[in-house]
Amino acid sequence: MPAKKSMLRPQSAPSKKAVVPPDPGSKRGVSNWKEAATWLRARGIEDIECITPDLAGVPRGKMMPSSKFTSNTSLALPSALYRHTISGEYPDETENFRYEPRDSDLKLVPDLSTLSVVPWESDPTAQVICDIVNVDGENVSYTPRNVLKNVLRLYEEKGWKPVVAPEIEFYLVAMNDDPDYPLHPPKGRSGRSIVGGQGYSIAGINEFDELIDDIYHFSEKQGLEIDTLIHEEGPAQLEINLRHGNPIELADQVFMFKRTIREAALKHGIYATFMAKPMQGQPGSAMHIHQSVVDIKTGKNVFSKPDGSASPEFFHFIGGMQKYVPNALVMLAPYVNSYRRLTPDMAAPVNNAWGYDNRTTAFRVPVSDAAARRVENRLPSSDANPYLALAASLACGYLGIVKEIEPTAAAEGSENEGSVDLPRGLLEAVALLESEPDFNEVFGSEFIGLYAGVKRGEFETFMQVISPWEREFLLLNV
């Protein structure tokens, strides 16, 4: 049996003459199991959380004593974990959505490069993100981290490496234990609830300075790098920008940041929500993704020619985004609520247009030099699984490059006027995902069938709920 936690703590404070030990190493990640054991001992870690994202991006996994973690313990999860809805229900089988007959085990394989402390726990605890393999040690293709890795492998086969930088918006809301009541902003340090129209307001950020300090503190302890933090347009709506880098590493960071921000908010008696549209009449929350592609051998940006002008690959990447992203939208906007954000006049694009420094387009090309030339995808919502959102966005650009798809002309004015050029609801988006034959190459038919089945199951659960709108307008009028 493992020793009791109290037995693992120092029995007395060190004397004043005690020598301060050297830095035990990096805050995030080790190279091998020997280094992992040293890393854990140096920090007095008692427990390890072995976690992995499910289809919704929710952390799933197991906790164990650190001694078990380093003793070649086998970790397993049931395959059904990747077949249930966000509400925990299991949809009926269809032709393309099937359960594994025995619900056999899937194995958790820790990625030691993600090892970090859990700073909000009272006892010394660490966490590690795991990949999923089957009992034969083969990668399970339909799990989110592996879906993204498969897309990156396609780039690598062409000699390319994508670079991404996500921007994550979220709301702080007052605690609410009754889902029948609307959400509203929390009170800040002034004692008053913050109102909207606070875009880029420093005073808006300062309303929650102690909470934000905890976000920075928790992030620093985990080796997570925040580039900037701003107040967005909605009341108590914030945005965190991450530094650009490897898509897997950035998806891992978004996965961990969501958890970190929720925990920091709870410490202050507040909810942090990544719902795409938590409050009626207010802007939704996005997860904008900046994307570029570099040549693996030279390290040069594929989107720029040697003379600094835009390359054919740049335009083909945009053409692929225009052609395929509407069909992959359910991976970027995965819930019924997601489509409430994608409405006209609510600061979100409702088109598949592109333009230079044009925030009304789905695909914006920011002002930059040739080395930093990139495409910003403004369609993903913050409720998306970061692994699947990045996989979808990068896969669409990849298809555009390899199929040499030409984009439309760049938009000059506002593109948020007129009709909506995207799926208007979850079922329509699911059908478009299934109907695109080119997606079998980049995502795999097994993932598409499984994901579509789960999304249809979530829609059926949603349809069982009677909304206030129905009671307001249908109760006595029809």
Side-chain angles (χ1 to χ4, degrees):
M1 293 179 62
K4 293 182 180 179
K5 290 186 177 181
S6 59
M7 297 293 288
L8 297 176
R9 294 173 180 159
Q11 298 302 305
S12 60
S15 68
K16 293 182 179 179
K17 294 182 180 180
V19 177
V20 177
D23 181 6
S26 68
K27 295 173 183 175
R28 182 175 181 81
V30 295
S31 299
N32 53 56
W33 284 100
K34 183 178 179 180
E35 289 183 11
T38 302
W39 190 97
L40 296 169
R41 283 196 304 271
R43 291 160 178 77
I45 297 297
E46 301 170 7
D47 297 309
I48 302 283
E49 297 175 352
C50 299
I51 59 176
T52 194
D54 67 5
L55 286 186
V58 174
R60 307 283 180 180
K62 293 185 176 181
M63 178 179 281
M64 66 176 61
S66 58
S67 58
K68 295 274 189 181
F69 179 71
T70 55
S71 62
N72 200 28
T73 299
S74 179
L75 297 170
L77 295 174
S79 61
L81 197 65
Y82 292 93
R83 290 165 172 83
H84 68 59
T85 66
I86 191 67
S87 58
E89 298 176 335
Y90 294 88
D92 293 335
E93 287 190 331
T94 64
E95 180 180 354
N96 296 319
F97 176 77
R98 314 294 295 181
Y99 291 94
E100 206 281 328
R102 298 173 299 164
D103 192 17
S104 56
D105 279 345
L106 302 177
K107 300 294 185 180
L108 289 162
V109 179
D111 181 344
L112 296 180
S113 71
T114 68
L115 184 65
S116 67
V117 299
V118 183
W120 50 83
E121 290 287 353
S122 56
D123 294 321
T125 304
Q127 60 195 337
V128 65
I129 299 174
C130 300
D131 284 312
I132 301 295
V133 301
N134 61 23
V135 292
D136 297 322
E138 299 171 338
N139 286 335
V140 178
S141 63
Y142 57 75
T143 59
R145 213 164 183 254
N146 285 333
V147 171
L148 177 54
K149 285 186 175 183
N150 289 339
V151 171
L152 299 182
R153 194 171 296 114
L154 294 173
Y155 275 90
E156 186 177 1
E157 290 170 356
K158 297 292 185 181
W160 303 325
K161 181 175 66 175
V163 178
V164 300
E167 303 171 347
I168 316 149
E169 297 172 349
F170 60 96
Y171 273 91
L172 301 174
V173 297
M175 283 191 168
N176 181 344
D177 61 0
D178 190 337
D180 280 339
Y181 284 87
L183 300 172
H184 60 86
K187 293 180 179 179
R189 66 175 184 171
S190 67
R192 304 185 62 156
S193 294
I194 195 167
V195 297
Q198 298 288 325
Y200 293 89
S201 166
I202 298 301
I205 292 176
N206 289 341
E207 280 288 295
F208 305 101
D209 56 355
E210 291 186 2
L211 188 160
I212 291 169
D213 284 345
D214 280 334
I215 291 175
Y216 278 117
H217 174 71
F218 287 167
S219 299
E220 194 268 341
K221 288 287 187 181
Q222 297 171 88
L224 302 175
E225 294 186 87
I226 296 174
D227 192 17
T228 57
L229 185 146
I230 66 169
H231 196 289
E232 268 291 348
E233 286 296 321
Q237 185 187 31
L238 305 179
E239 176 184 287
I240 283 179
N241 299 335
L242 306 183
R243 295 183 182 180
H244 64 273
N246 176 280
I248 285 288
E249 294 176 4
L250 268 298
D252 287 342
Q253 289 200 40
V254 175
F255 177 57
M256 298 310 302
F257 264 121
K258 284 188 172 185
R259 191 176 188 216
T260 299
I261 292 165
R262 288 193 188 99
E263 290 290 342
L266 286 173
K267 181 180 175 183
H268 293 268
I270 294 173
Y271 288 152
T273 180
F274 296 87
M275 283 179 64
K277 186 78 165 182
M279 287 187 278
Q280 183 174 326
Q282 298 294 342
S285 290
M287 182 173 64
H288 299 155
I289 302 171
H290 292 253
Q291 309 156 101
S292 59
V293 180
V294 300
D295 184 280
I296 292 175
K297 290 183 178 179
T298 66
K300 301 292 186 181
N301 191 339
V302 172
F303 289 169
S304 297
K305 295 179 180 178
D307 64 4
S309 62
S311 68
E313 289 83 1
F314 169 74
F315 292 108
H316 294 154
F317 186 95
I318 294 173
M321 300 282 285
Q322 287 189 297
K323 175 178 172 62
Y324 291 106
V325 163
N327 294 349
L329 190 64
V330 71
M331 295 171 67
L332 311 174
Y335 303 104
V336 172
N337 181 261
S338 310
Y339 297 85
R340 301 188 190 280
R341 168 183 165 261
L342 298 173
T343 56
D345 304 319
M346 288 305 297
V350 292
N351 53 71
N352 68 338
W354 75 282
Y356 294 99
D357 198 21
N358 188 337
R359 285 184 169 83
T360 71
T361 61
F363 314 118
R364 169 179 171 257
V365 178
V367 176
S368 71
D369 58 23
R373 180 172 277 115
R374 62 194 185 275
V375 180
E376 178 191 15
N377 185 351
R378 298 177 58 80
L379 288 175
S381 49
S382 61
D383 56 0
N385 181 323
Y387 301 92
L388 298 183
L390 284 171
S393 194
L394 291 172
C396 293
Y398 167 84
L399 288 171
I401 296 176
V402 298
K403 295 180 182 297
E404 300 184 353
I405 298 173
E406 296 293 337
T408 63
E412 297 293 339
S414 174
E415 288 293 316
N416 266 2
E417 301 172 358
S419 61
V420 177
D421 299 327
L422 304 169
R424 288 299 293 123
L426 184 62
L427 287 186
E428 182 184 353
V430 169
L432 287 173
L433 179 74
E434 293 176 304
S435 66
E436 179 50 69
D438 290 335
F439 285 168
N440 290 323
E441 172 193 354
V442 292
F443 304 132
S445 58
E446 186 175 20
F447 166 77
I448 292 172
L450 186 151
Y451 190 74
V454 168
K455 291 298 138 187
R456 285 199 172 92
E458 288 173 349
F459 181 80
E460 293 305 321
T461 302
F462 169 79
M463 289 299 290
Q464 295 172 17
V465 179
I466 309 303
S467 70
W469 185 93
E470 292 163 278
R471 290 191 289 269
E472 174 72 16
F473 296 105
L474 303 182
L475 181 66
L476 300 178
N477 291 332
V478 297

